[in-house]
Amino acid sequence: MTSTVSHVYPVIWQKDQVLLIDQNRLPAEYTLVEIKNSDDMALAIKTMIVRGAPAIGVAAAYGMYLGAREIETENRELFLTQLEKIAEKLRATRPTAVNLFWAIQRMLNTARRTLGPVEYLQEVLLETAKNINLEDLKTCQAIGDYGLEALPKTPEKLTILTHCNAGALATAGYGTALGVVRSAWREGRLARVFADETRPRLQGAKLTVWECVQDEIPITLITDNMAAHCMKQGLIHAVVVGADRIAANGDTANKIGTYSVAISAKAHNIPFFVAAPLSTIDFSLIDGNQIPIEERDPAEIYQIGKTLVTPEGVDFYNPAFDVTPANLITAIITEFGAVAPSELKQFEEKQAV
Ligand code: MRU
């Protein structure tokens, strides 16, 4: 199947360094940050210059190569031991998005399986990182096209609600949830996207809107607490969101607020889809209770920009993700097709690590 391409690539390998779109500065400024070593890559992931599960995975893969390049030994065993330390550093950046751990593991496995001198191992690691990047682009295009098939057949032109940013910016360059949107737009099946602003960091307002404007996809921004009302008014035909980690039973961790959207969709009989590559599925977890949930700086809640929005001295709780139970999910759309959450297991052997 052919697909329209986005022209937004958040992680770019150029000559001997990585360029990241600084997602903290969008939409006010489009800036590329140069990443030349693994420390800077770890910091870029932690501070969310690069964010979104698949994009974090791609960035971490390049981070592993940059780290491998820094290791000064010709001894293979010593090289592998030090590479494990780079892996530890990158793993410690963000806990929920499993693509981070998946990509790091794939890089480690590649290094262990490859025979030859250290210099050759380093070259192979760069090639592997580039492949992970390229594969994600193709994977998202396949997700987009399978998603298009899974969408409701009526009305002819759909309005799709999404939460957070699961777009080109969050992947190698096409998007998971927004990949489905892009494919629907290409085929004339999309009326418009509704984007939740996605408190507290506003990825919907800042990133999803910016991305759709780049591609001239019609978009309406709402605040998170308007979603149920819009559903009740009949404005939404389907919900499509991304994922940070999906347990073997289909329970899905995604940006905080996704669970409320899923409950609202169920109450209004609106199909709720999760779009994600196999690299987002953690088959080692039986259900979503075991998914680690990142807690972030409370300043994200008590400040908007630099302005304090609440009295000082109260308590805060800032979980960055929630878990939507599988029974609220109509289908999970992967690069191998859209299936009911209970049928995910069939893909376990296809997951490349
Ligand atoms: O905290 P973020 O911005 O990294 O969270 C991103 C999300 O929750 C996305 O929906 C998810 O990673 C899927 S991206 C294709």
Side-chain angles (χ1 to χ4, degrees), residues 128-296:
T128 308
K130 286 181 182 172
N131 284 342
I132 289 174
N133 198 353
L134 210 66
E135 283 167 21
D136 186 71
L137 204 56
K138 292 185 184 150
T139 291
C140 284
Q141 289 173 346
I143 289 172
D145 291 342
Y146 279 122
L148 176 62
E149 282 172 23
L151 287 172
K153 300 293 173 249
T154 55
E156 196 193 329
K157 286 193 188 283
L158 302 167
T159 295
I160 297 176
L161 174 74
T162 191
H163 190 75
C164 193
N165 171 267
L169 284 166
T171 60
Y174 190 74
T176 54
L178 285 188
V180 177
V181 162
R182 281 198 166 84
S183 295
W185 179 240
R186 181 197 71 213
E187 296 301 319
R189 295 262 5 250
L190 185 78
R192 65 176 43 242
V193 182
F194 268 54
D196 284 343
E197 65 170 352
T198 317
R199 278 276 289 152
R201 288 186 66 97
L202 304 178
Q203 289 94 329
K206 292 181 172 178
L207 306 178
T208 297
V209 173
W210 180 81
E211 206 180 302
C212 287
V213 168
Q214 302 306 303
D215 282 354
E216 299 181 7
I217 296 172
I219 184 155
T220 299
L221 177 66
I222 57 172
T223 64
D224 300 336
N225 50 3
M226 294 172 188
H229 174 72
C230 293
M231 290 179 187
K232 194 168 182 212
Q233 285 189 311
L235 297 176
I236 310 294
H237 303 116
V239 179
V240 188
V241 297
D244 283 82
R245 193 185 295 229
I246 304 174
N249 73 338
D251 289 353
T252 294
N254 191 48
K255 181 52 56 195
I256 193 76
T258 304
Y259 180 28
S260 320
V261 178
I263 292 170
S264 300
K266 186 77 159 183
H268 294 91
N269 227 353
I270 294 169
F272 180 94
F273 297 99
V274 170
L278 288 201
S279 52
T280 303
I281 304 172
D282 187 344
F283 286 106
S284 75
L285 303 185
I286 299 165
D287 61 39
N289 292 319
Q290 292 130 45
I291 299 177
I293 300 293
E294 177 181 11
E295 275 186 48
R296 295 190 61 85

Side-chain angles (χ1 to χ4, degrees), residues 6-57:
S6 103
H7 51 278
V8 174
Y9 302 102
V11 187
I12 303 159
W13 177 258
Q14 195 179 74
K15 284 191 193 153
D16 58 351
Q17 63 180 4
V18 180
L19 300 177
L20 297 176
I21 297 177
D22 188 341
Q23 301 196 32
N24 288 324
R25 288 176 181 260
L26 286 173
E29 276 175 46
Y30 178 93
T31 318
L32 293 174
V33 181
E34 294 177 355
I35 305 289
K36 296 179 195 293
N37 59 58
S38 60
D39 278 350
D40 287 352
M41 186 60 92
L43 194 65
I45 296 171
K46 203 174 176 58
T47 57
M48 295 176 67
I49 287 174
V50 60
R51 35 65 53 200
I56 291 172

Side-chain angles (χ1 to χ4, degrees), residues 45-176:
I45 296 171
K46 203 174 176 58
T47 57
M48 295 176 67
I49 287 174
V50 60
R51 35 65 53 200
I56 291 172
V58 173
Y62 282 121
M64 285 291 285
Y65 165 68
L66 293 173
R69 194 171 75 173
E70 291 151 19
I71 301 172
E72 289 175 5
T73 178
E74 287 178 12
N75 178 304
R76 182 192 158 83
E77 285 315 308
L78 220 58
F79 174 81
L80 291 175
T81 310
Q82 294 200 25
L83 193 63
E84 180 54 53
K85 291 203 177 113
I86 309 280
E88 269 316 304
K89 174 176 66 187
L90 288 163
R91 282 191 197 109
T93 52
R94 295 197 70 191
T96 305
V98 77
N99 304 61
L100 172 76
F101 303 89
W102 169 85
I104 292 169
Q105 198 53 47
R106 187 160 154 193
M107 294 292 281
L108 281 176
N109 291 349
T110 301
R112 288 187 192 125
R113 282 180 202 136
T114 306
L115 301 175
V118 164
E119 203 180 316
Y120 178 63
L121 260 61
Q122 289 165 327
E123 277 170 31
V124 171
L125 285 173
L126 177 57
E127 282 318 301
T128 308
K130 286 181 182 172
N131 284 342
I132 289 174
N133 198 353
L134 210 66
E135 283 167 21
D136 186 71
L137 204 56
K138 292 185 184 150
T139 291
C140 284
Q141 289 173 346
I143 289 172
D145 291 342
Y146 279 122
L148 176 62
E149 282 172 23
L151 287 172
K153 300 293 173 249
T154 55
E156 196 193 329
K157 286 193 188 283
L158 302 167
T159 295
I160 297 176
L161 174 74
T162 191
H163 190 75
C164 193
N165 171 267
L169 284 166
T171 60
Y174 190 74
T176 54

